[in-house]
Amino acid sequence: MPGEAAGGNRPWHNAAVVRARNLARGRLTQPPRTAGEPLPVIALTRAVPDSIERGELTHLERSPIDLARARRQHDAYRAALAQMGCTVRELEPTPALPDSVFVEDAAVVLDELAVITRPGAVSRRPETESVAAALRPWREPGFIEAPGTLDGGDVLCLGRRVFIGETPRSDAEGIRQFRALVAPYGYTVEAVAVCGCLHLKSGVSAIGDATVLLNPDWVDADVFADYERIEVAPGEPFAANALCIDGRVLLPAAFPATRTRVEARGFEVTTVDADELAKAEGGLTCCSLLVAE
Ligand code: CIR
């Protein structure tokens, strides 16, 4: 947990946080780090619960999940985050909540506050309480309240522009409430249609603040005309969900052709096997919450 920082009781407003934010967003404004030097970024994760096979599914047929393999892949994911410089911390396990490994959906962590969501799936609503408590030392919470719904997987932040997928999980009221919470800090919020996948970030993710990786079959590429766009390779529709930290990109190993495309645009790519959690409709961004210290 953070101690008293230079910013007094608002440690998230100090210069180190601005630096960390830029790192987390992939801006290469920092001098090269010594290999192994940690970033001021905490990655919160939560263990794969025994109950994961009973999780929500929207666009996939249910198929058996090999729990041991899912846990090995989750461990490798955590190791990759550490390798990328994050300090990885585990939230309290919640074995009875089948989708609780997908911590991204319970909160959206911005520099100034953490928006605690109200997930669209009723079974997922109990996940938020422990996430809110865990984030409290770093960020003031703001809450999405009934009747609004919002999943963190629908929220894509590119600098001060926030895009939110209007999906069965995130409704107009949830988006309205999110906008009201973040507008005082200078963020704008745009609702985006999503078709054919679970969340907005299943179809488009940020590679830094200036580039997006997207699947144009699921998300209208024109919405992101102001950004450099990289399209997923044919035959790899699920490759659009990548995690970018400090300009380095983490992609599932199952998408080599998309990896080649991302590398061709100058990004360093690391891969992890993630196909077991993908059976539960989870991608890479959804298994962590990144907090700039
Ligand atoms: C769900 O349907 O809610 C989970 N089975 C998967 C959530 C994945 N979350 C994400 O991509 N942000």
Side-chain angles (χ1 to χ4, degrees):
M1 296 294 170
E4 269 304 297
N9 64 357
R10 288 153 68 87
W12 47 91
H13 280 183
N14 69 19
V17 167
V18 173
R19 190 171 74 92
R21 178 194 69 199
N22 287 335
L23 285 168
R25 287 178 179 166
R27 289 183 186 147
L28 298 172
T29 54
Q30 299 296 306
R33 286 180 305 125
T34 312
E37 184 191 342
L39 295 170
V41 176
I42 301 207
L44 298 177
T45 65
R46 177 137 60 192
V48 179
D50 289 351
S51 55
I52 189 164
E53 274 212 337
R54 300 197 297 276
E56 301 285 338
L57 281 181
T58 56
H59 290 83
L60 294 183
E61 293 292 320
R62 200 168 291 280
S63 60
I65 294 176
D66 179 334
L67 205 49
R69 189 161 183 271
R71 288 186 170 136
R72 277 198 303 278
Q73 291 186 354
H74 192 249
D75 287 346
Y77 171 80
R78 298 179 79 242
L81 292 177
Q83 185 66 35
M84 291 166 89
C86 297
T87 300
V88 183
R89 298 212 179 150
E90 279 267 24
L91 297 167
E92 277 298 303
T94 44
L97 299 177
D99 282 311
S100 55
V101 62
F102 304 124
V103 290
E104 170 185 63
D105 293 318
V108 179
V109 183
L110 301 174
D111 299 335
E112 301 83 358
L113 80 166
V115 177
I116 309 303
T117 67
R118 183 169 179 269
V122 175
S123 71
R124 301 204 58 189
R125 293 194 185 145
E127 294 174 30
T128 59
E129 191 179 334
S130 54
V131 169
L135 288 171
R136 192 66 190 80
W138 288 286
R139 297 292 190 276
E140 286 287 352
F143 294 91
I144 303 296
E145 289 169 357
T149 65
L150 193 96
D151 278 14
D154 276 320
V155 181
L156 175 65
C157 299
L158 289 158
R160 298 264 143 184
R161 269 179 96 177
V162 182
F163 298 87
I164 306 186
E166 198 162 356
T167 68
R169 299 294 180 86
S170 301
D171 65 9
E173 172 59 14
I175 296 171
R176 187 196 68 72
Q177 289 184 28
F178 189 98
R179 183 181 291 117
L181 287 167
V182 304
Y185 301 105
Y187 293 93
T188 60
V189 172
E190 296 159 61
V192 181
V194 176
C195 172
C197 59
L198 173 57
H199 287 128
L200 176 65
K201 279 191 286 194
S202 318
V204 56
S205 59
I207 298 192
D209 269 358
T211 305
V212 293
L213 175 63
L214 62 82
N215 176 343
D217 291 337
W218 291 347
V219 174
D220 180 0
D222 289 346
V223 171
F224 298 96
D226 293 339
Y227 300 90
E228 292 292 319
R229 289 169 289 184
I230 306 173
E231 292 193 2
V232 297
E236 298 183 351
F238 288 93
N241 185 262
L243 189 59
C244 181
I245 301 168
D246 192 22
R248 297 163 74 194
V249 178
L250 188 63
L251 265 177
F255 308 127
T258 300
R259 175 188 185 157
T260 301
R261 289 181 174 208
V262 174
E263 286 176 334
R265 301 287 276 269
F267 295 97
E268 181 186 328
V269 177
T270 306
T271 62
V272 284
D273 286 318
D275 50 303
E276 211 56 50
L277 287 177
K279 293 177 186 171
E281 235 167 330
L284 294 185
T285 63
C286 63
C287 289
S288 57
L289 279 166
L290 300 181
V291 184
E293 273 192 289

